[in-house]
Amino acid sequence: MTYLHSFLFIAHILLGSAALLLFWVPMYTAKGQLNHKKFGRWYKNTMYGVAATGAIMAIIVLAIPLVIKHQYANHENAQAIATNIRFFWVFLLYLALLSFTTTKHGEWVLKVKERREHLRTWQYVTPLVLLFVGGFAFIGMGLLRGQTLHTVFGILGVLVGFSMLRYVFAKHLGARQYILEHIGSMIGSGIGAYTAFVAFGGRQLIESAGQYQLLLWIAPGVIGSILSYILCKKYGKVFKVEATKSAKQKPSVNTAV
């Protein structure tokens, strides 16, 4: 099992590194053009690989922490160490779920466009519900153990999960809202990718950062949120995305001849 974990770890690092680079190409190429679609497809598939390898690694560690982290197996506080290991890796499992759901949502909202009934299936909705409900669990764990990181990403998971569920089940949406939903979701997946990079590749950096390490953890979320706002505002104007209509608002009547 340790060999499998090591193989998955290497694959995860390689896929994650590729995703970090591929993420920026669709961001800076015009929507609808060939390069945007091609690199967007590569990024999407790479992120699925990142989420899958991360999730499988996390499940293995959660099941047998002292087998994978064998250097602690004979420690006098082995069980306490195993609990701390599980606590960290359940967070990484949640990051894998965040990366998967945001990537899939970003792909499918663009695929179905206005036909959101295709999203209202248990297969599609279940991961979104897990992200939403799991966020509350992470908020609770973070508060109980004094782990700000778990609390912050628990709040993020609740907000992201609720936003995606609201989009899927909303009765009234403005025309071409799927464009903004696609942009926001793909940036959300990038937040997951860069946060995972900090968790793995940048771990030595953040440990040496002392009191500033929390800022490095949440920086991808802050930067991603700002980027999402800028791009959504930009492409909302470019594609003339209509504002979401309320249930009571009557559709406007086109009187043009």
Side-chain angles (χ1 to χ4, degrees):
M1 197 63 75
T2 55
Y3 291 111
L4 174 60
H5 187 272
S6 297
F7 170 78
L8 290 170
F9 181 77
I10 294 171
H12 186 78
I13 293 298
L14 292 175
L15 289 168
S17 300
L20 296 181
L21 297 175
L22 288 170
F23 170 77
W24 295 101
V25 180
M27 291 296 108
Y28 286 98
T29 53
K31 303 296 177 285
Q33 291 187 356
L34 178 60
N35 283 341
H36 180 87
K37 292 181 178 180
K38 179 174 68 175
F39 282 98
R41 184 168 60 251
W42 290 352
Y43 171 74
K44 173 199 69 176
N45 293 333
T46 302
M47 281 303 299
Y48 283 147
V50 169
T53 53
I56 297 171
M57 278 195 302
I59 291 170
I60 291 173
V61 175
L62 291 172
I64 48 174
L66 295 180
V67 173
I68 303 301
K69 304 294 182 180
H70 54 83
Q71 64 269 33
Y72 302 113
N74 297 319
H75 195 279
E76 58 180 321
N77 296 319
Q79 291 307 313
I81 293 173
T83 298
N84 289 332
I85 292 171
R86 286 191 174 105
F87 191 70
F88 177 73
W89 278 85
V90 76
F91 170 70
L92 297 180
L93 180 61
Y94 191 67
L95 272 183
L97 177 63
L98 174 65
S99 298
F100 171 75
T101 53
T102 49
T103 302
K104 184 178 181 181
H105 191 65
E107 175 191 6
W108 275 81
V109 296
L110 200 60
K111 184 180 294 185
V112 303
K113 294 183 171 59
E114 312 284 0
R115 305 183 304 277
R116 289 179 296 118
E117 64 275 9
H118 295 297
L119 306 179
R120 296 166 185 164
T121 65
W122 70 267
Q123 297 98 324
Y124 189 87
V125 170
T126 298
L128 307 187
V129 173
L130 287 175
L131 185 69
F132 177 69
V133 175
F136 288 105
F138 271 85
I139 293 171
M141 286 191 293
L143 293 175
L144 286 174
R145 293 181 60 116
Q147 294 290 331
T148 306
L149 182 64
H150 286 62
T151 304
V152 169
F153 277 88
I155 294 171
L156 178 64
V158 169
L159 294 176
V160 172
F162 176 77
S163 176
M164 291 190 291
L165 287 168
R166 182 179 61 180
Y167 178 86
V168 171
F169 291 104
K171 292 183 179 180
H172 302 276
L173 287 178
R176 296 176 293 281
Q177 276 287 330
Y178 61 85
I179 295 174
L180 304 187
E181 191 73 9
H182 167 73
I183 294 172
S185 293
M186 284 306 185
I187 291 177
S189 74
I191 292 173
Y194 272 89
T195 304
F197 167 74
V198 174
F200 282 103
R203 205 166 176 188
Q204 295 299 321
L205 172 64
I206 65 172
E207 286 177 352
S208 64
Q211 61 181 334
Y212 298 106
Q213 59 182 289
L214 181 61
L215 294 176
L216 294 174
W217 275 101
I218 65 175
V222 174
I223 295 171
S225 298
I226 295 172
L227 181 62
S228 178
Y229 173 80
I230 293 172
L231 289 178
C232 285
K233 188 173 182 179
K234 173 184 175 181
Y235 286 105
K237 294 179 179 178
V238 171
F239 290 99
K240 297 181 174 59
V241 177
E242 292 183 4
T244 298
K245 302 173 183 177
S246 66
K248 296 181 180 180
Q249 182 179 347
K250 295 181 180 179
S252 61
V253 178
N254 188 350
T255 58
V257 178

